[in-house]
Amino acid sequence: MKKIFILFFIIQTQVAFAQNAHLPVEKVWAERISSTQYLIKSADKTKWKIYEGELPRQMRWNSKARILKDSLIVEATPLQRKYFAAVYKKDTIIFSERRFFMEQSPNFRDLGGLKTADGKTVAWGRIFRCGDMGKLSDNDLQMIAQQNIKHVVDFRNEQEVAQSPDKYPANYEIKRVWTSISPSNDEGMKQLYVVMSNPNAMADDVERVFEGFYQQMPNNIKNYAPFFNTLLEANENESVLFHCTAGKDRTGLGAALILSVLGVPEETIIQEYYLSNRYTKYLANTGMLSQIKPAIANVLAGVQRKYIIASLNVIKAKYGSVINMLEQEIGLDQSKRQLLIKKYTF
């Protein structure tokens, strides 16, 4: 009886977690609650017809649709991704899980499915973000290969790379691009190291330093140029993955930049950024963070809206917009932006 109760508790916890693992702007979403099950939820009581497929453009439209009333459990094959289509009257939404069910990378996410201001949608399965890739399991590596990820952009500094080199699938060709967004001697990084080693530091102190770190990151915006070059160079059947250590700060700004170029509204960008908070809190109990005060560790392991807003405000104050900054600093002109939109939206 005790084992049954524990199993029930675990399943209920996974379901509750999945119910919150979406963006407020999404009408319907899917989340893996185990290696063999998806939970599909909707934002209201709309009775969506749900179809399944192996790829976004390969839905099994001739199969019998399932009706989504509130929630729906769909069986899945381990290590294989499913896509879904939700249909209600003239509205059709293609979707899949945003966060992957990875064993050693809980913040591994797909930027697909986000709506742009002009009605387009960011393509699923083309741009991924994550944290440290040095601890990926064999199953995680298999998932990477199945997503046809052929380009990896690493935002970490020299020390981080040396401590945890990326792991890639065996006998699988990946082009790695390294571009340190915030070198270890960067002023923002220095301040973070100082506050982490201060036994008298309070949570508010860490938040102020973190906000300052985000205000500093736009000073290194040229270091994001290889990221955009990679996105421009990738073939239309290849996917791009970018990451740092936690997959939330340098990676979070990188996501905000490319989503801005693709035309995603700022509020949606902030919501996507904030989603990291649901997946990175575990970091407070790992590595160096496990050795400092829990209140400090929790701040360092999470994100806050004001952090990414601090970066965006610095950019707007100096350049007027993200688009202006990228054109002036890394030469991302209109023709290149249009190419990115063509490649990564539909």
Side-chain angles (χ1 to χ4, degrees):
M1 180 64 71
K2 184 177 180 181
K3 289 183 178 179
I4 294 175
F5 174 78
I6 292 173
L7 179 60
F8 175 78
F9 175 78
I10 291 172
I11 292 173
Q12 290 299 105
T13 300
Q14 290 173 327
V15 170
F17 185 74
Q19 288 173 341
N20 293 318
H22 71 285
L23 303 180
V25 295
E26 292 178 305
K27 295 180 181 179
V28 59
W29 63 92
E31 181 84 0
R32 286 249 191 182
I33 56 174
S34 73
S35 62
T36 59
Q37 286 186 323
Y38 282 97
L39 174 69
I40 299 178
K41 293 281 293 181
S42 65
D44 53 31
K45 300 299 182 181
T46 300
K47 293 184 178 180
W48 297 93
K49 291 182 179 179
I50 303 297
Y51 297 88
E52 301 177 22
E54 280 65 51
L55 292 171
R57 296 183 181 180
Q58 294 182 9
M59 290 294 155
R60 295 192 289 273
W61 297 111
N62 294 328
S63 62
K64 184 178 180 180
R66 301 177 67 179
I67 304 300
L68 172 62
K69 297 179 180 179
D70 177 49
S71 64
L72 184 65
I73 298 292
V74 177
E75 299 302 315
T77 302
L79 303 179
Q80 290 187 11
R81 188 182 196 186
K82 276 189 177 182
Y83 288 89
F84 304 95
V87 180
Y88 181 74
K89 295 183 178 179
K90 295 183 178 181
D91 197 0
T92 299
I93 300 172
I94 305 297
F95 64 103
S96 185
E97 75 260 46
R98 184 164 303 286
R99 181 190 71 105
F100 274 48
F101 196 82
M102 304 285 266
E103 295 172 348
Q104 296 296 328
S105 186
N107 199 24
F108 193 106
R109 309 210 304 265
D110 189 336
L111 293 186
L114 302 179
K115 293 293 184 181
T116 67
D118 61 356
K120 292 185 173 65
T121 303
V122 178
W124 285 102
R126 295 298 314 284
I127 309 176
F128 297 92
R129 54 176 292 178
C130 72
D132 183 11
M133 294 181 65
K135 301 178 180 65
L136 296 179
S137 68
D138 289 342
N139 286 340
D140 294 341
L141 294 173
Q142 185 175 336
M143 284 294 292
I144 285 177
Q146 287 182 352
Q147 302 314 306
N148 205 33
I149 293 171
K150 295 293 187 178
H151 303 266
V152 172
V153 184
D154 188 345
F155 291 156
R156 298 174 299 165
N157 63 42
E158 303 93 328
Q159 294 177 356
E160 293 170 295
V161 172
Q163 290 170 0
S164 184
D166 284 354
K167 288 177 65 176
Y168 302 132
N171 303 315
Y172 182 83
E173 185 177 350
I174 283 183
K175 180 180 178 182
R176 176 181 177 267
V177 174
W178 175 59
T179 176
S180 178
I181 300 303
S182 296
S184 55
N185 62 353
D186 178 82
E187 187 59 33
M189 292 294 285
K190 285 181 179 179
Q191 292 179 12
L192 277 176
Y193 292 142
V194 168
V195 76
M196 286 173 64
S197 60
N198 181 1
N200 298 317
M202 305 296 289
D204 289 347
D205 299 324
V206 182
E207 288 185 16
R208 281 193 294 271
V209 171
F210 239 131
E211 195 167 353
F213 173 67
Y214 272 80
Q215 291 169 336
Q216 290 282 335
M217 273 200 290
N219 295 335
N220 300 320
I221 212 67
K222 284 185 170 65
N223 295 345
Y224 280 101
F227 170 49
F228 282 94
N229 291 339
T230 299
L231 289 166
L232 287 165
E233 293 169 5
N235 295 331
E236 292 190 2
N237 63 342
E238 296 176 337
S239 301
V240 176
L241 169 64
F242 61 102
H243 79 99
C244 54
T245 293
K248 64 186 183 69
D249 302 309
R250 291 161 290 184
T251 296
L253 180 56
L257 296 178
I258 180 56
L259 292 176
S260 295
V261 171
L262 298 181
V264 176
E266 183 175 295
E267 178 56 30
T268 303
I269 290 171
I270 294 171
Q271 290 176 12
E272 195 284 329
Y273 163 82
Y274 194 72
L275 201 58
S276 288
N277 235 19
R278 298 188 177 118
Y279 307 125
T280 60
K281 285 297 186 181
Y282 80 98
L283 292 171
N285 301 313
T286 63
M288 186 186 301
L289 296 188
S290 65
Q291 302 172 26
I292 61 180
K293 291 191 297 187
I296 304 298
N298 286 331
V299 173
L300 292 169
V303 297
Q304 296 192 33
R305 287 175 60 96
K306 66 181 180 181
Y307 297 160
I308 192 65
I309 289 173
S311 284
L312 295 174
N313 284 346
V314 167
I315 292 169
K316 292 174 189 175
K318 186 173 181 180
Y319 301 95
S321 70
V322 169
I323 301 302
N324 291 344
M325 177 194 66
L326 293 174
E327 182 160 359
Q328 293 177 35
E329 295 296 339
I330 68 172
L332 196 73
D333 58 24
Q334 185 175 3
S335 63
K336 292 178 180 178
R337 296 195 300 272
Q338 289 301 316
L339 179 57
L340 289 171
I341 291 170
K342 181 180 179 181
K343 277 188 171 186
Y344 298 106
T345 67
F346 63 90

